[in-house]
Structures are given as structure tokens and as C-alpha cells.
Amino acid sequence: MMIFQALRSLLFYVLFLGQTIILAFFVGGATLFLDRSRPAPAWMWAVGRYWGWSNLFFLRWIVGIRTAVEGGENVPAGGCIIASKHQSDWDILAILPRLSNPAFIAKRELLDIPFFGWAARMLNTISVDRKRGGEAIPLMLADAREKLARGAEIAIFPEGTRKAPLAEPNYRAGITRMYEALGVPVIPVAVNSGFFWGRNSLVLWPGTARARFLAPIPPGLPPAEFQARLVETIETASAELALIAWREGLARPIPPTLRQRLEALAAAQAAPTTY
């Protein structure tokens, strides 16, 4: 099983990386002939959406990872912040089709890559330059305000990096500063994708990766209350999705620590409520 799944994963990566490079050269090269201060033309967005859809197709039919996304009705029309748990690259692919005008936040280093970075900049990507120190967040917020004025949905991974399923959360202060400064609703997103496309694993495992858009958190809450509500909302829903994956059956090997956490969650959910 491991060898077979490794070969399927290798084929997926060849297609995933291969077409990403080709499309980046195509779209990034085209930006050399366009006014980068203007919004990207419709055909560029069509290419970007094709990239997302085609990779979900490859995941389904090559690796065996199905995609299930719920709660899309919670995304309001107009500007908002999408704050998602981040467990794998699948998260980007799953979120992208549900947004009408997405603007993902990414590290400056990614946007400095020739062709790929040029394409990303044209497609609304907001950069965070950590080398700028204390200036990094104000510069990012200024860019985010500009994108919001165009009706964009700002997509951010509040922990800043991929986390393993049920790992201890580590939400950074940037999301709270965005919430305070931008004054728009925040839509939390829970995922369980790390069970199928792990952050440190080259082997992808079959199953149903799930994302859930949750009820918006309205603007105007005190910062500490917002932060606590965001963390509790995302972590609770992500734990529920983890249990769904566990009960549906996981093809991947489960480390003892993760197994213990899943069993503890299942036992807590099964325990009767007393008053």
C-alpha cells in the first residue's frame, strides 16, 4: 500500500509542480506587457481558477483525495477577512473557488520569485516583508485596505505556517491587528486536510479532506475577545472535522500521540452530559 500510494503521490507532484511552473511562466511573462497598477484581466483569473480546479481534480483521480467544503453561504458579499486553519497546500485549493475576488497574504520571499511572484502580485496577492521589522504589518495593512476597497476577500492563515492535525495552536498577533485596523467581518475556516496531505510527508493519502466556513465574527469586538473567539471557533470545528476523518477511516499511519488525541476526543464527545 505504501509503495503504491508513494507512486501515486509522485505522479501528482509531477503534474502539480509541472503545470504550476508552466502557468507561472505564462502568466508571469504576460505581466511584463501589462500595467501592473491595474487589476488583473479576466483571463488571468480564469487561469488561476483553472490551476486550483485542476489540482483538486488530480488529487481526486490520481491520489484519491476527495474535497468537501461546506458553509460557503457564510462568506458575505464584499470585503471581508477569511482566517483559515492551515494544514496543507490543499487549503488554498479548497478556499480559492469559494471566493469571488480573493487576495491571499504571502511571504515577500514568494513574491520575489521570477514569473511566479509576478503572477501572484498581479492576482491580488498581499506581501508580508518580515525583513522590514516593525514596518511589515503597517505596509501589509495599507495593501490590504487597497484590496478591500476593490471588494476583495483577504485570505490569511493566522498561524503563519502549516500545522499538524490537533497540534497545539499558535495564532499570531497579525490577524488581530488586521481585525482592528480593517473593520470588516472575519470568517473563520476549519480544515482537516493534514490527515491526507501532511506538512512533512511526501506521500499523500486517500480520503475526504474537508473545509468548513464558519459564522462570521462581526467587527468591533475588543481585541482579546476577538482573538479568543477566533481560536476557539477554528480549533473546535477543526477537532470536529478531525473526528469525522477518524471515524471514516484513515489509510495513513497514525502516530501514537495523534491516535491518543483522537481517541480522547472521541471519548469526550461520547461521554454523557451531566447537569
Side-chain angles (χ1 to χ4, degrees):
M1 175 66 177
M2 172 70 82
I3 295 176
F4 178 62
Q5 198 61 30
L7 291 174
R8 296 173 76 185
S9 302
L10 176 61
L11 177 57
F12 166 76
Y13 277 120
V14 169
L15 293 172
F16 172 62
L17 296 174
Q19 82 156 355
T20 298
I21 292 170
I22 292 170
L23 294 177
F25 271 101
F26 175 61
V27 176
T31 65
L32 298 175
F33 305 96
L34 297 172
D35 181 355
R36 300 189 196 182
S37 66
R38 298 177 61 85
W43 70 264
M44 277 193 179
W45 283 109
V47 171
R49 294 186 185 282
Y50 160 79
W51 174 82
W53 173 85
S54 61
N55 287 315
L56 290 177
F57 180 87
F58 295 152
L59 285 170
R60 171 64 183 92
W61 296 107
I62 296 174
V63 183
I65 298 178
R66 297 176 175 85
T67 291
V69 180
E70 59 186 85
E73 68 277 3
N74 286 319
V75 181
C80 64
I81 300 171
I82 307 295
S84 177
K85 189 74 176 173
H86 194 20
Q87 295 183 356
S88 96
D89 290 339
W90 176 90
D91 309 333
I92 300 171
L93 304 176
I95 290 172
L96 180 62
R98 273 75 191 179
L99 306 181
S100 60
N101 187 19
F104 281 86
I105 294 179
K107 294 183 293 186
R108 173 64 183 268
E109 293 85 344
L110 293 176
L111 274 64
D112 287 339
I113 300 173
F115 294 98
F116 176 85
W118 303 341
R121 285 180 185 277
M122 200 73 184
L123 293 173
N124 268 3
T125 304
I126 299 168
S127 69
V128 179
D129 188 356
R130 294 174 181 170
K131 295 179 182 178
R132 301 293 293 268
E135 296 180 348
I137 296 297
L139 289 172
M140 181 269 287
L141 289 174
D143 198 359
R145 287 190 186 94
E146 179 185 342
K147 300 298 191 299
L148 282 173
R150 300 178 184 175
E153 303 105 341
I154 309 297
I156 183 173
F157 299 114
E159 293 175 278
T161 188
R162 292 170 296 171
K163 303 281 285 187
L166 301 182
E168 284 297 316
N170 181 24
Y171 288 68
R172 300 185 177 183
I175 179 62
T176 301
R177 292 194 56 184
M178 286 185 66
Y179 173 79
E180 287 185 277
L182 300 180
V184 294
V186 173
I187 292 79
V189 182
V191 302
N192 68 1
S193 55
F195 285 106
F196 312 101
W197 189 350
R199 62 179 186 142
N200 294 320
S201 174
L202 294 177
V203 178
L204 284 69
W205 296 95
T208 301
R210 300 179 184 275
R212 182 181 294 169
F213 289 81
L214 303 160
I217 299 176
L221 297 177
E225 181 180 344
F226 162 75
Q227 180 84 1
R229 182 167 168 179
L230 179 73
V231 173
E232 180 182 9
T233 300
I234 293 179
E235 293 302 314
T236 299
S238 292
E240 291 173 358
L241 295 180
L243 276 180
I244 291 174
W246 171 247
R247 287 168 175 159
E248 288 177 341
L250 294 169
R252 57 165 282 182
I254 306 297
T257 301
L258 179 56
R259 181 180 295 275
Q260 290 171 4
R261 290 175 179 170
L262 287 165
E263 290 174 345
L265 272 176
Q269 190 177 77
T273 302
T274 57
Y275 298 93

